[in-house]
Amino acid sequence: MMHVNFKRPANFLLILLSLIAAGCSETPKNQLSVADQLPGRSDYEGQDDLSGQYPSASSRLKFNKHRQKSASGEHETVWDRLLSLYSLPEIDNYRVDRAMDWYLQHPASLAIIQERAEPYLHHILDEVEAKDIPGELALLPVVESAFVANAYSSAEASGLWQFIPSTGEEYGLQQNAWYDGRRDVYASTKAATTYLKELSELFDGDWLKALASYNCGKNRVRRSVEKNEERDLPTDYWSLDLPQETMDYVPRLLAIAKIFANAEQYNLHLQYIPNKPYFEVVDIKAPLDLHKAAQLANTPYDQFLKLNPGFNRSCTAPQGPHRLLVPVEQANTFKRNLAQLPYHERVNYGSLNPESILARNKPEERLLTQIKKPEIKDTRHEESQAALSFSRYKVKSGETLSVIANRSHTTLSTLRRVNHLASNTVRSGMMLQVPSASDNKPDSHLLAAKAAKIQTANHHMYAVKKGDTFWNISQRFAVTPKDIAEWNKITLKTALVPGRKLVIKSANQQIASVSSIRLVHYKVGAGDTLTQIAKKFNVPVTDLRKSNADVLGKGLRPGQKLKVIVEGQPST
């Protein structure tokens, strides 16, 4: 009987399989290729020719996810650690290539981004690892805020991670007159990584949809998915009908991640950032003046603020959080100096008196009254403050501190002292405490702020002039449109015919000077914007909107005539 030796063929087969496997390990992994056409975007137009300076984005360089570690087993730099955490699929898509081309043509921007990221990246990676999410997401602040910790957008998004107010509150980021958790590097990073992880779980681990949801909202993405399902179309991110910003958003993150992964091939210098904590979180127990805190930490004030941009004033919030981020090399010095600082020297309580008055009426600031005060009081200061009342005011787009001071009949120095502002700079959305004399109405501004005070009787008859509105007249006399309507037994929809007599009741009327206050009718030209027109006449954009609410309902268009209340001659 013939015997067949199966052992030798089996051994040969094992050797053959091992050779095939070794060959496969040296073959690049096939990337996910999705045929897609992206509408042109002006930011990228004309940016395809790199003149040979960089490899083309279409060269499909792979992510290098396995960097060498130091002898201790730890990654030497944050970049090595970052790349080791990459886990998103490699994408072959025109939109990613286009974003890469744009970034590569702006190497200075990439250098600036690295500098800005240095104080925050190690902490972000800690949170990324703790949440077990893709390392690429640590670079999301590049797309969101360019790593500017106090960035603020026209959509009222704020901070490194650009939380809008409602989402920030949903994820525990407090927002009040003293503190905005969206700008708190420590708190917002925890919130953002938690939010991103929840979004990924909502979309069954699809990180591209999760990122798109972070940008335009989960409901918007879900509706687009359902719409494609109804039409029997693909439901991956690249196939969804989303806002143009969102269509560019995810490719930008993938592009910047790929560039950092292949820095050498793209001639990008990665700045040396050691894989070590940049700051330490220190529990300060109670409010502390930020200028004093920087001194205790032997750290320049501007550098200290970059780590603690969440505080709206030059003092930490009375109601907390009672923590500060301190450069790690100065943390022990800071804690030692803070322990030796007398409690009553932590804050300049004299300058906090206005807020103390306000705190008795504002629940969110009630904790101010619990702060220990020094025994010696400046009674003259208290007497001057007793005549003042305070109201909260939200800064509008285009407004300056000077404009707000004029409207409120106060001075720049007073506003800065009351709100603990280090400079005259304010931004849209900031909440200010505005002091005003007790006999002034809080909303008397615009014409009232520019008018001369004239003592008259309680009743004044005003003859309506051409172009007058309830708003204009109310501002002239520091009253409200509703007051005028009630005093004259009419409604706000009643036509104001020139010559009609209106009763104005005011004990201390503020009548605009005819020689300095004028009503100008401006014809909108092609290319004009409200901001440009406001600058031309040196008036706030918000006042321009209010004075022309009836014609701006459908936006600004060439040929429209706007009413502009100006003082003196318009600027050229």
Side-chain angles (χ1 to χ4, degrees):
M1 182 176 179
M2 177 183 264
H3 293 277
V4 180
N5 187 350
F6 289 99
K7 188 172 183 180
R8 288 180 60 190
N11 290 338
F12 176 77
L13 180 60
L14 288 174
I15 294 172
L16 180 60
L17 289 174
S18 66
L19 289 174
I20 292 173
C24 290
S25 68
E26 296 176 1
T27 303
K29 183 190 298 183
N30 290 333
Q31 295 175 322
L32 175 62
S33 178
V34 182
D36 188 28
Q37 298 253 338
L38 182 66
R41 182 178 173 89
S42 59
D43 287 349
Y44 300 120
E45 287 177 359
Q47 303 293 336
D48 295 331
D49 181 12
L50 301 182
S51 305
Q53 183 179 1
Y54 303 100
S56 170
S58 61
S59 61
R60 316 298 179 217
L61 293 174
K62 289 171 59 63
F63 289 88
N64 187 348
K65 302 180 184 180
H66 305 287
R67 296 299 178 95
Q68 291 186 350
K69 297 183 179 181
S70 64
S72 64
E74 295 293 332
H75 293 287
E76 181 181 357
T77 70
V78 292
W79 306 116
D80 295 333
R81 182 184 177 195
L82 169 69
L83 300 182
S84 73
L85 297 173
Y86 275 17
S87 61
L88 293 180
E90 297 174 31
I91 304 296
D92 178 4
N93 186 275
Y94 170 68
R95 283 149 66 179
V96 177
D97 294 342
R98 191 175 62 182
M100 289 180 66
D101 288 345
W102 188 92
Y103 279 123
L104 291 172
Q105 286 217 2
H106 297 79
S109 297
L110 295 175
I112 292 172
I113 284 170
Q114 293 181 63
E115 291 178 3
R116 291 174 178 170
E118 181 177 1
Y120 317 121
L121 202 47
H122 185 276
H123 172 65
I124 292 174
L125 289 174
D126 282 348
E127 290 302 315
V128 164
E129 285 196 278
K131 304 294 195 311
D132 192 24
I133 61 179
E136 292 93 334
L137 273 60
L139 296 172
L140 196 57
V142 175
V143 183
E144 286 287 355
S145 62
F147 270 106
V148 176
N150 59 354
Y152 197 90
S153 77
S154 58
E156 296 190 351
S158 188
L160 282 178
W161 300 92
Q162 289 291 282
F163 275 98
I164 60 173
S166 57
T167 308
E169 290 177 359
E170 182 180 351
Y171 283 85
L173 301 178
Q174 303 174 45
Q175 298 156 61
N176 53 54
W178 288 84
Y179 166 80
D180 190 338
R182 299 175 301 161
R183 298 198 310 272
D184 184 326
V185 174
Y186 179 79
S188 67
T189 299
K190 287 182 176 296
T193 50
T194 299
Y195 183 30
L196 286 163
K197 188 173 181 66
E198 289 181 5
L199 288 173
S200 75
E201 293 169 350
L202 181 66
F203 289 98
D204 299 323
D206 190 325
W207 279 105
L208 301 191
K209 288 179 186 173
L211 287 164
S213 300
Y214 191 91
N215 178 250
C216 69
K218 57 188 176 185
N219 291 332
R220 179 69 178 83
V221 174
R222 185 185 291 140
R223 287 195 300 269
S224 184
V225 170
E226 292 172 351
K227 185 176 179 181
N228 278 21
E229 287 176 343
E230 292 172 359
R231 298 180 178 183
D232 199 23
L233 296 173
T235 58
D236 60 284
Y237 161 77
W238 306 98
S239 303
L240 299 181
D241 180 19
L242 299 170
Q244 185 63 50
E245 178 186 344
T246 309
M247 293 177 69
D248 292 338
Y249 179 84
V250 176
R252 286 177 182 170
L253 175 64
L254 297 177
I256 200 70
K258 192 169 185 178
I259 289 171
F260 281 129
N262 300 280
E264 293 180 4
Q265 291 92 327
Y266 287 122
N267 299 325
L268 172 65
H269 170 66
L270 289 181
Q271 299 175 22
Y272 180 75
I273 304 178
N275 183 33
K276 297 179 180 179
Y278 187 92
F279 58 76
E280 181 178 328
V281 183
V282 179
D283 183 3
I284 60 173
K285 308 296 184 183
L288 180 65
D289 182 274
L290 291 176
H291 285 279
K292 193 175 294 292
Q295 294 173 0
L296 298 178
N298 291 330
T299 303
Y301 184 62
D302 58 345
Q303 181 181 340
F304 197 80
L305 286 185
K306 286 182 180 179
L307 294 178
N308 300 278
F311 297 104
N312 294 329
R313 306 181 183 182
S314 60
C315 172
T316 64
Q319 68 273 37
H322 298 308
R323 65 165 179 265
L324 285 173
L325 308 188
V326 181
V328 68
E329 66 274 11
Q330 300 293 344
N332 289 334
T333 299
F334 173 80
K335 287 184 282 189
R336 183 172 58 254
N337 290 340
L338 181 62
Q340 297 172 356
L341 181 70
Y343 190 85
H344 68 274
E345 293 183 13
R346 293 173 67 103
V347 180
N348 181 356
Y349 295 105
S351 65
L352 285 182
N353 275 339
E355 283 84 356
S356 300
I357 296 172
L358 179 66
R360 289 192 284 270
N361 301 316
K362 301 287 183 181
E364 66 189 26
E365 298 187 0
R366 200 165 288 151
L367 287 179
L368 261 174
T369 59
Q370 301 173 11
I371 299 176
K372 181 180 179 180
K373 302 290 179 66
E375 296 180 1
I376 301 176
K377 298 181 179 180
D378 186 344
T379 56
R380 292 174 301 171
H381 181 73
E382 290 186 349
E383 289 170 358
S384 66
Q385 295 300 330
L388 295 177
S389 60
F390 298 87
S391 60
R392 296 185 67 186
Y393 180 77
K394 186 176 183 179
V395 179
K396 300 178 178 61
S397 177
E399 286 186 324
T400 64
L401 196 63
S402 177
V403 168
I404 297 171
N406 288 336
R407 288 180 177 179
S408 308
H409 306 292
T410 187
T411 63
L412 275 174
S413 59
T414 299
L415 278 185
R416 286 181 59 177
R417 184 181 70 251
V418 168
N419 292 281
H420 295 274
L421 299 175
S423 68
N424 292 339
T425 303
V426 292
R427 62 183 175 277
S428 175
M430 177 184 286
M431 298 300 298
L432 297 178
Q433 305 302 334
V434 180
S436 57
S438 58
D439 58 346
N440 284 347
K441 290 184 179 278
D443 56 353
S444 64
H445 55 275
L446 193 59
L447 290 177
K450 302 174 182 177
K453 294 184 179 180
I454 300 178
Q455 295 290 342
T456 65
N458 286 341
H459 290 69
H460 176 78
M461 299 303 295
Y462 175 76
V464 176
K465 298 178 179 58
K466 184 177 180 180
D468 272 347
T469 65
F470 280 101
W471 172 257
N472 292 344
I473 298 172
S474 69
Q475 299 310 295
R476 186 185 299 269
F477 295 101
V479 296
T480 67
K482 186 178 179 181
D483 288 337
I484 297 175
E486 289 179 354
W487 293 334
N488 292 275
K489 294 180 172 52
I490 57 178
T491 69
L492 294 177
K493 295 183 179 180
T494 303
L496 295 181
V497 180
R500 176 170 184 162
K501 301 288 187 179
L502 295 178
V503 175
I504 306 295
K505 298 180 181 180
S506 176
N508 183 17
Q509 299 181 32
Q510 305 200 11
I511 302 176
S513 170
V514 177
S515 61
S516 61
I517 306 295
R518 299 182 300 112
L519 177 64
V520 174
H521 292 277
Y522 177 79
K523 185 176 181 180
V524 178
D528 272 349
T529 66
L530 279 182
T531 301
Q532 291 171 342
I533 298 171
K535 288 182 178 179
K536 181 179 296 186
F537 291 96
N538 195 27
V539 298
V541 174
T542 49
D543 288 349
L544 202 56
R545 287 186 184 278
K546 289 180 180 178
S547 299
N548 297 277
D550 52 339
V551 298
L552 292 176
K554 295 183 179 180
L556 187 70
R557 300 186 303 276
Q560 287 177 324
K561 286 192 176 181
L562 302 183
K563 291 172 287 189
V564 187
I565 301 172
V566 299
E567 180 179 12
Q569 297 296 324
S571 59
T572 57

